[in-house]
Amino acid sequence: MSIGIAMEPERKDEEGVVLTEAQKRARRSRSIAIALALGALVLLFYAMTLVKGPGVLVRPM
């Protein structure tokens, strides 16, 4: 048994976990939902910054 760079044993004949089509669709749906939620959060922060204006940067130290 040899150890790879990432300290994981080398896998030659193992296939690992094989997902069904339903599991692949569910994973893709979750990924899209997470991406949309993250994008909405970024847009929310951007909009809040625009609404507050440059006054955000003027504050006592």
Side-chain angles (χ1 to χ4, degrees):
M1 180 172 107
S2 64
I3 303 295
I5 294 174
M7 300 300 291
E8 293 183 12
E10 288 184 15
R11 298 178 187 175
K12 294 182 181 176
D13 295 330
E14 296 180 27
E15 289 186 27
V17 177
V18 179
L19 299 176
T20 64
E21 289 302 316
Q23 290 171 325
K24 288 178 185 178
R25 281 193 304 272
R27 176 187 280 182
R28 180 165 170 80
S29 296
R30 279 193 305 270
S31 296
I32 290 172
I34 290 170
L36 290 175
L38 183 60
L41 190 61
V42 167
L43 289 175
L44 177 67
F45 288 162
Y46 182 71
M48 288 173 52
T49 303
L50 288 179
V51 168
K52 286 195 170 234
V56 170
L57 301 175
V58 180
R59 60 185 176 156
M61 292 294 272

